[in-house]
Amino acid sequence: RALLAALATPERRLPPTVHVTGTNGKGSTIAFMRAALEAAGYRVHAYTSPHLARFHERIRLAGRLIEEDHLAALLEECETANRGRPITYFEITTAAAFLGFSRSPADVLLLENGLGGRLDATNVLERPALTIITPVSIDHTQYLGEGLATIAGEKAGILKSGVVGVIGPQPPEAAASISAHAQRIGAELIRHGEDFHVERVGQGLRFTSGDGALDLPRPCLQGDYQIDNAGLAVAALQALDGFTVSRPHLAQGLTQAVWPARLQRLLRGPLVSRLPDGWEIWIDAGHNPHAGQALARAAAEWRDKPLHLIAAMLNSKDPVGYLTPLAEVAADIRCLAIPGEAASLTAEEMTQAAVRAGLEATAAASLDDALDEILAAAESPSRILICGSHYLVGALLVENG
């Protein structure tokens, strides 16, 4: 707040803002909303994190990634205004984003929370147009506390009195915590499973609310869990006052959203060119137990080929909790350290965790070595899934061009 005050409070000069928190599905939900809003002709700012390959991915100004010169100028202005006072990386970059958003015309801002909610740098907005809480699960316990109720209470800190909150599917303990906080502060909630429903129907999905049923195409992002994210996006767009997004625009948003490294198949690049005929390589940046469960459910549908994992994780994560569901669907795993990341688990630590999770695991010195070992040992065309960390997947995307 001190830095934003020195910058003449850009957070008070933003377009109508949708503030999004949760543990999993934030980026996908924003991607569906952005694509649908843009299909309807609206100019959309977006703030997401973390990035995969370049910091610029975090800031979209009216639909376009921020340019290098513009970003550098904003950061320099924030650095000068801060005058050497202690500040975190996320705080000063969020201030730069707010500054950029306040100066560039747009109709709406989709703002992803960084961590938690109550004390997050994005939670300086006094009155967003709408808030969203995606599914909450155990993550970042060193900051948010132990237990779903405590973590959900931190996430619920973005709810505001008199502002509608759209709530995705939640475990009962998290749902109760969110509802209790909303009641205390006077925030109306629109809840998945109560006020709106979404289900897979044939090759599409059906969204049902008080306004009736809406049949929409299946989301372009892979995995059945994306149906819940898509439904949350539709519910949020219906609740967003002042915006008209028709069924064709919603359909376009669900089928044209772009959100890399969420159960994404790589189709080109040097890594793909190394694969023999019939092989596939997939990436996913999920990194907590809930993400591992969702990934395992998606991979359970891959019954035609063996699945081999390559994984690395930060030392602040729960590798056993993440990998245990995947032990049911994967033949084996090669474990790495994240290249250039001091906070990574070592390959040996990751291997030990994978063994405890029930996987046949070996350590590998590099991604190239892991690929070579899988290709040499496999008896038939297979799928390779590289997963466990935004940082690992980001490094892979850079390496793969």
Side-chain angles (χ1 to χ4, degrees), residues 95-183:
F98 282 160
L99 202 58
F101 295 141
S102 72
R103 293 172 178 173
S104 300
D107 300 301
V108 62
L109 164 60
L110 305 179
L111 179 69
E112 182 182 348
N113 180 84
L115 189 153
R118 181 175 64 93
L119 298 176
D120 190 71
T122 61
N123 200 29
V124 295
L125 303 186
E126 294 179 0
R127 192 171 179 84
L130 191 74
T131 59
I132 298 175
I133 303 180
T134 68
V136 174
S137 63
I138 299 294
D139 202 5
H140 299 297
T141 54
Q142 69 274 39
Y143 299 112
L144 305 181
E146 301 287 342
L148 275 174
T150 301
I151 293 171
E154 290 293 323
K155 305 284 187 185
I158 74 162
L159 298 175
K160 300 292 186 293
S161 176
V163 176
V164 172
V166 185
I167 312 301
Q170 304 293 344
E173 195 175 353
S177 181
I178 293 167
S179 294
H181 183 73
Q183 189 169 12

Side-chain angles (χ1 to χ4, degrees), residues 308-313 317-336 345-364 387-388:
H308 306 279
L309 305 180
I310 299 174
M313 299 186 78
K317 302 302 179 184
D318 174 10
V320 177
Y322 172 76
L323 291 172
T324 296
L326 292 166
E328 300 295 321
V329 294
D332 52 39
I333 184 172
R334 267 70 177 181
C335 298
L336 311 176
L345 291 167
T346 66
E348 290 71 25
E349 290 169 336
M350 190 70 187
T351 301
Q352 292 167 10
V355 170
R356 291 199 300 275
L359 281 156
E360 181 182 325
T362 55
C387 58

Side-chain angles (χ1 to χ4, degrees), residues 29 135 168-169 192 196 198-199 219 224-233:
T29 300
H192 176 280
F196 70 94
V198 60
E199 59 182 330
D224 272 357
Y225 55 90
Q226 293 293 0
I227 291 176
D228 283 338
N229 294 334
L232 184 56

